[in-house]
Amino acid sequence: MASQDSHMLMMLVSFFLSTLLVTTVHSKPQCRNFESIISFGDSLADTGNLIGLSTPYDLPESAFPPYGETFFHHPSGRFSNGRLVIDFIAEFLGLPHVPPFYGSHNVNFEKGVNFAVGGATALNCSFLLEKRGIHCPHRNISLGVQLQSFKETLPNLCASPSNCRDMIGNALILMGEIGGNDYNYPFFDRKNIEEVKDLVPLVITTISSAITELVEIGGRTFLVPGDFPLGCSVAYLTLYQTSNKDEYDPVTGCLKWLNEFSEYYNSQLQAELNRLRKLYPPVTIIYGDYYNALLRLFEEPFKFGLMNRPLSACCGLGGPYNFNFSTICGTVGIECCSDPSKYVNWDGIHLTEAAYRWISEGLLEGPYAIPRFDWSCISSKCRNFKSIISFGDSIADTGNLVALSDPNSLPHVAFPPYGETFFHHPTGRFSNGRLVIDFIAEFLGLPLVPPFYGSQSVNFVKGVNFAVGGATALEQSFLEDRGIHFPYTNVSLGVQLKSFKESLPNLYGSPSDCRDMIENALILMGEIGGNDYNYAFFVGKSVEEIKELVPLVITTISSAITELIGMGGRTFLVPGEFPLGCSVAYLTLYKTSNMEEFDPLTGCLTWLNKFGEYHSDQLQAELIRLQKLYPHVNIIYGDYYNAMLRIFQEPTKFGFINRPLPSCCGVGGTYNYTVGVQCGIGVVECCSDPSKYVNWDGVHLTEAAYRLLADGLLNGPYAIPPFDWSCLSSEIKNKESLDTE
């Protein structure tokens, strides 16, 4: 009888809470330009706390490879191959990754502090053990303990009570995910579902009490995640494996009864958050619908670039799901999948960076934040740039290749007539004068950007350039494995980015100074990737083979941008591809008597220009995706293709000779160019007036062409979206167009 009464009471409570949920308060969230993140939770948000709390002789699995391999390239204490939801949120808000509190020394928590600990519960472990017989395998760092740590450390985080209140009020407070382990531990001990359901109101009350306490000390914006679909977890699929097909969802392969439990918990949590919203109308309390944000990945994996039925663990061993409880990821002998981006489950319990990225996007931009975030108060994207940071190849190289070369075997760019028009001597630039990067620097009132490699006692405060002639986006070893060989030093985009990161302390001092510098810099991402295609074309690869490189090149560029955003980058100019069919080198290499292969207006090779369009279209699509992920960041596509094509279509309008395809500096053939005979070699002559030419040496452009290209980016329609110069000085805003029209 008592059991029936208890069951009836639970039904009444459930009905009451469900009724509340139907009438959920959807008060419009107040837009805030968050100044920091305060985080509580378990392993889904732990950025290193469990390691900080562990002894060197008893470290958790997250302290060992392959944890962290995808983004950080080493274990960071995160239970994933890369970033977590909290990391993507920080990047989205323009904040540094949130440092762990426990075990940290001399760390600046001004922009964020994280108390989440792997294995943590909402309820105290002593309560779970004494009242329910549930053992916590990790130390007791429950939500209450984390909150107590936060309150005790507040005097050290802010100078006065009023400053503390302001700090908390301007922070985004992440309440978990927390509570999942309160259910995991009894389920792993095979407690029955009714016993576990009895914990739900206790867990929710604990979370609600913590929110209330934080509201009282100044908290104004909370993101409170629900539970994941537990039935899609590899650990549960392994533990509760059954031959009864009726227990599995036919679409996803997940265990239905466990997903129903997650739905039950989430509905009760949402009802309680609705009650809190009514109690505290000035406070924004957002429910993070982790359940549906993740479930869609299992329902339509191909839509998100995942493999079909992505239930297996990427890192694990054994069984139908590549997982067993006795041999876990991070231990010797456990292998990792070759491409974690195709997986949802990382180690059987936690998710991959790819999955966390999609969840984050669903929270920040999509329908999985209830109510939705209000980003209307995001600050203007106009910046008074203090410096330029450049990566790329010869299109932006201001002297790096020369510095990296043997003095006894210098590249042709080290000799006249390179540099003759503006500098009156060779500078390492692949042109007769200035490049796009030089015109941008002049426009911004900055000095010309010095090369990084080989420079000594150079001041890089106003700019630093890592672009190297001949550089590729992809690594040399990867391209050579595909039979693509090239003669230049391997200073790929990854190598350049590594050089930048390693040099930061010497360039700009403290971490805060470095971040400030990166935030106020215009970051030029190339042009890069062109050589990946050039080298492939030059060794005779087919256009279909080369098209297979395009997504790899674009992913590499995208990953570099993402990494720089994490370091503080706020404004990026990302150029597309040139019209390759107008390049003298290609016109010579693919010379044909079939006039149908040439554009009758420009004389350029149509099929090669279509390839340039293909790369540029794919790049633009990826930049649009990044822009949605990071709305605080300004990602500008540089339309090099159309900015240059207009010159070949109407050359005389811009002061060039009619049909301006031949090289200014070269010898032989229809286009004044011979493969293997380079400008800068004694027998090669230069035209008398480079300002009338577009092509300089058969591969690169003249200063006159680069001037027009730069103007099309800075003042014209070839920056997408256009630069916002509204906050710049009148001297810059009133600067006359560089165009000679």
Side-chain angles (χ1 to χ4, degrees):
M1 186 71 181
S3 175
Q4 290 180 343
D5 289 344
S6 174
H7 182 66
M8 180 63 70
L9 178 61
M10 288 299 295
M11 288 180 64
L12 288 171
V13 170
S14 178
F15 174 79
F16 174 67
L17 291 174
S18 298
T19 305
L20 276 178
L21 185 59
V22 172
T23 58
T24 298
V25 176
H26 286 288
S27 58
K28 182 175 174 58
Q30 181 179 351
C31 183
R32 291 184 183 275
N33 202 346
F34 299 107
E35 297 177 5
S36 68
I37 292 172
I38 301 168
S39 169
F40 306 92
D42 58 23
S43 58
L44 301 185
D46 186 351
T47 56
N49 279 308
L50 184 58
I51 288 179
L53 289 166
S54 301
T55 67
Y57 306 103
D58 188 26
L59 292 172
E61 65 268 23
S62 62
F64 302 98
Y67 285 90
E69 67 172 17
T70 298
F71 182 80
F72 301 99
H73 309 302
H74 60 81
S76 66
R78 290 163 173 82
F79 286 80
S80 180
N81 61 304
R83 289 162 292 180
L84 313 177
V85 170
I86 184 176
D87 298 310
F88 288 113
I89 290 175
E91 291 173 4
F92 178 95
L93 295 176
L95 297 170
H97 291 157
V98 185
F101 172 76
Y102 298 107
S104 294
H105 302 286
N106 300 320
V107 175
N108 188 336
F109 295 117
E110 182 182 347
K111 298 291 186 180
V113 59
N114 187 8
F115 297 88
V117 180
T121 51
L123 302 170
N124 282 328
C125 284
S126 57
F127 172 86
L128 290 170
L129 180 60
E130 293 167 12
K131 303 297 184 182
R132 296 292 191 272
I134 298 167
H135 297 265
C136 298
H138 297 287
R139 64 183 70 226
N140 177 34
I141 306 292
S142 65
L143 179 57
V145 173
Q146 294 176 30
L147 188 58
Q148 185 64 27
S149 294
F150 174 60
K151 291 189 295 182
E152 288 175 353
T153 196
L154 264 180
N156 298 322
L157 295 180
C158 40
S160 66
S162 61
N163 287 342
C164 286
R165 197 166 188 87
D166 287 342
M167 183 270 291
I168 298 169
N170 291 309
L172 174 61
I173 302 175
L174 306 184
M175 296 303 300
E177 189 272 350
I178 191 72
N181 286 323
D182 298 70
Y183 310 135
N184 290 337
Y185 298 148
F187 274 131
F188 290 166
D189 282 342
R190 289 189 171 272
K191 302 249 182 216
N192 69 56
I193 194 166
E194 293 306 320
E195 286 183 275
V196 183
K197 272 190 173 181
D198 285 344
L199 295 172
V200 170
L202 304 176
V203 167
I204 290 173
T205 298
T206 301
I207 295 170
S208 177
S209 296
I211 294 170
T212 300
E213 197 165 346
L214 287 162
V215 168
E216 289 172 352
I217 61 176
R220 289 295 171 267
T221 309
F222 296 82
L223 174 60
V224 189
D227 204 355
F228 285 125
L230 293 182
C232 303
S233 163
V234 170
Y236 282 111
L237 286 164
T238 301
L239 184 65
Y240 290 101
Q241 187 177 348
T242 174
S243 59
N244 183 357
K245 300 300 183 185
D246 290 340
E247 292 200 15
Y248 295 93
D249 183 316
V251 175
T252 62
C254 303
L255 285 163
K256 291 188 289 186
W257 67 273
L258 272 164
N259 280 359
E260 287 169 2
F261 172 81
S262 297
E263 290 173 347
Y264 169 76
Y265 165 76
N266 290 336
S267 67
Q268 311 309 305
L269 177 61
Q270 288 184 79
E272 176 60 16
L273 298 184
N274 187 56
R275 186 187 72 82
L276 289 176
R277 291 186 191 106
K278 290 179 177 179
L279 273 180
Y280 306 108
V283 177
T284 299
I285 300 174
I286 297 170
Y287 170 69
D289 187 1
Y290 276 23
Y291 182 92
N292 287 301
L294 181 58
L295 191 64
R296 60 179 176 153
L297 305 187
F298 295 109
E299 291 173 336
E300 299 181 280
F302 286 133
K303 182 177 177 181
F304 301 96
L306 304 166
M307 65 179 186
N308 190 31
R309 286 284 178 129
L311 289 173
S312 297
C314 170
C315 182
L317 182 68
Y321 302 102
N322 196 38
F323 174 82
N324 68 72
F325 281 91
S326 61
T327 312
I328 57 176
C329 182
T331 56
V332 177
I334 302 301
E335 295 185 356
C336 182
C337 64
S338 59
D339 188 358
S341 70
K342 300 295 183 185
Y343 285 71
V344 175
N345 286 310
W346 165 244
D347 60 7
I349 297 175
H350 309 95
L351 306 181
T352 60
E353 178 181 272
Y356 286 129
R357 179 193 290 275
W358 285 116
I359 293 168
S360 305
E361 184 176 354
L363 294 174
L364 295 165
E365 286 291 306
Y368 301 107
I370 305 169
R372 288 193 177 206
F373 282 96
D374 176 6
W375 303 120
S376 61
C377 62
I378 292 175
S379 60
S380 166
K381 289 180 178 177
C382 180
R383 290 186 179 273
N384 197 347
F385 300 109
K386 296 178 181 178
S387 68
I388 292 173
I389 301 168
S390 171
F391 306 91
D393 58 23
S394 57
I395 306 300
D397 186 351
T398 55
N400 280 308
L401 182 61
V402 171
L404 288 168
S405 300
D406 184 336
N408 299 313
S409 181
L410 291 172
H412 57 101
V413 73
F415 303 98
Y418 285 92
E420 68 173 15
T421 298
F422 182 80
F423 301 99
H424 310 301
H425 61 83
T427 64
R429 288 166 171 81
F430 286 74
S431 182
N432 61 303
R434 289 162 291 182
L435 311 176
V436 170
I437 186 176
D438 299 312
F439 289 113
I440 291 175
E442 291 176 357
F443 179 90
L444 295 174
L446 297 170
L448 301 185
V449 185
F452 172 78
Y453 298 106
S455 296
Q456 296 175 337
S457 303
V458 175
N459 188 333
F460 294 114
V461 170
K462 297 291 185 181
V464 59
N465 188 6
F466 295 87
V468 180
T472 53
L474 303 171
E475 297 301 318
Q476 183 179 24
S477 58
F478 175 86
L479 291 168
E480 289 188 342
D481 286 344
R482 294 198 167 207
I484 301 169
H485 304 279
F486 51 95
Y488 290 101
T489 304
N490 177 31
V491 187
S492 65
L493 179 56
V495 173
Q496 294 175 29
L497 187 57
K498 183 180 180 185
S499 294
F500 174 58
K501 292 189 293 184
E502 289 176 348
S503 66
L504 270 177
N506 297 323
L507 293 180
Y508 306 108
S510 69
S512 60
D513 288 341
C514 288
R515 190 169 189 89
D516 181 71
M517 181 278 300
I518 297 170
E519 285 181 358
N520 291 297
L522 173 60
I523 302 175
L524 306 183
M525 297 302 300
E527 187 270 352
I528 191 73
N531 285 324
D532 299 69
Y533 310 139
N534 291 339
Y535 299 144
F537 276 123
F538 293 165
V539 298
K541 298 289 184 183
S542 71
V543 72
E544 291 307 319
E545 287 179 287
I546 299 170
K547 273 190 172 181
E548 292 177 0
L549 294 174
V550 172
L552 305 176
V553 167
I554 289 172
T555 297
T556 301
I557 295 169
S558 176
S559 296
I561 293 170
T562 302
E563 194 161 353
L564 287 161
I565 289 172
M567 297 166 65
R570 292 296 166 268
T571 308
F572 296 82
L573 174 60
V574 189
E577 185 60 273
F578 287 106
L580 295 181
C582 303
S583 163
V584 171
Y586 282 114
L587 286 163
T588 302
L589 183 66
Y590 292 103
K591 187 177 180 180
T592 175
S593 58
N594 182 1
M595 300 313 294
E596 292 183 357
E597 291 197 14
F598 297 92
D599 183 328
L601 181 60
T602 63
C604 303
L605 283 163
T606 306
W607 66 274
L608 268 166
N609 278 0
K610 286 181 179 177
F611 175 81
E613 290 176 348
Y614 175 75
H615 165 86
S616 297
D617 288 345
Q618 306 307 307
L619 178 61
Q620 279 186 274
E622 176 61 14
L623 298 184
I624 289 169
R625 188 187 72 82
L626 286 177
Q627 187 65 82
K628 288 180 179 178
L629 271 179
Y630 307 109
H632 282 71
V633 177
N634 199 14
I635 302 174
I636 299 170
Y637 170 70
D639 187 2
Y640 277 23
Y641 183 91
N642 286 301
M644 286 306 304
L645 194 63
R646 60 173 177 158
I647 299 173
F648 292 109
Q649 291 171 337
E650 299 181 278
T652 56
K653 179 180 178 180
F654 301 100
F656 295 107
I657 58 173
N658 192 29
R659 288 281 176 146
L661 289 174
S663 295
C664 170
C665 182
V667 64
T670 308
Y671 303 101
N672 194 37
Y673 177 80
T674 301
V675 176
V677 183
Q678 297 174 314
C679 180
I681 297 174
V683 297
V684 178
E685 294 184 356
C686 183
C687 64
S688 59
D689 188 358
S691 69
K692 299 296 183 183
Y693 285 72
V694 177
N695 286 312
W696 165 244
D697 61 6
V699 178
H700 308 95
L701 307 181
T702 61
E703 178 182 89
Y706 285 130
R707 178 193 290 272
L708 284 164
L709 178 53
D711 180 62
L713 297 173
L714 295 166
N715 295 315
Y718 301 108
I720 305 169
F723 280 98
D724 177 3
W725 303 123
S726 61
C727 63
L728 301 192
S729 66
S730 58
E731 181 181 349
I732 291 179
K733 284 193 288 184
N734 296 331
K735 185 174 288 191
E736 292 184 3
S737 172
L738 295 169
D739 206 333
T740 57
E741 294 182 54

